[in-house]
Amino acid sequence: LPEIDQRDIEVQIYPNPTQGALNVVLELGDADKGRIEISNYLGEILRSEALFNGANQLDLKGFRSGMYFFSITVNDIVIVQGKQVLLK
């Protein structure tokens, strides 16, 4: 895998809290795609999806209200981790 310069990568994740639709905007520089994993408080991965350069939208409507954790990787390197609140 080619190395990436994390300074070339920009990530926006909104809204937080969300009522179901989670927007992820990536500017990946030289990389062409990434991956997001969403897990619960036990660390169980509930969703894993490819992310592409530009705007991406994830549908979390099937999830229960609560706090979830996300991790975004590019070329197997974690570039962002955080918490996401889902309210219904």
Side-chain angles (χ1 to χ4, degrees):
L1 295 174
E3 289 191 25
I4 57 169
D5 186 342
Q6 292 185 17
R7 294 172 295 189
D8 292 340
I9 297 173
E10 294 182 32
V11 180
Q12 296 176 29
I13 301 170
Y14 63 92
N16 194 2
T18 183
Q19 293 184 335
L22 182 63
N23 298 293
V24 181
V25 180
L26 293 178
E27 298 299 330
L28 293 173
D30 292 334
D32 59 349
K33 66 180 179 177
R35 176 159 294 281
I36 187 167
E37 290 184 343
I38 299 175
S39 59
N40 61 18
Y41 70 96
L42 297 173
E44 299 169 325
I45 296 172
L46 305 175
R47 169 95 42 97
S48 179
E49 288 191 24
L51 297 173
F52 298 94
N53 209 20
N56 300 264
Q57 189 173 73
L58 284 79
D59 181 2
L60 304 181
K61 291 180 183 169
F63 287 40
R64 293 183 174 177
S65 293
M67 185 177 306
Y68 296 89
F69 301 90
F70 64 85
S71 175
I72 295 177
T73 58
V74 175
N75 292 354
D76 295 326
I77 298 170
V78 175
I79 58 167
V80 177
Q81 291 181 311
K83 298 174 190 170
Q84 180 66 43
V85 176
L86 177 62
L87 299 176
K88 291 191 172 186

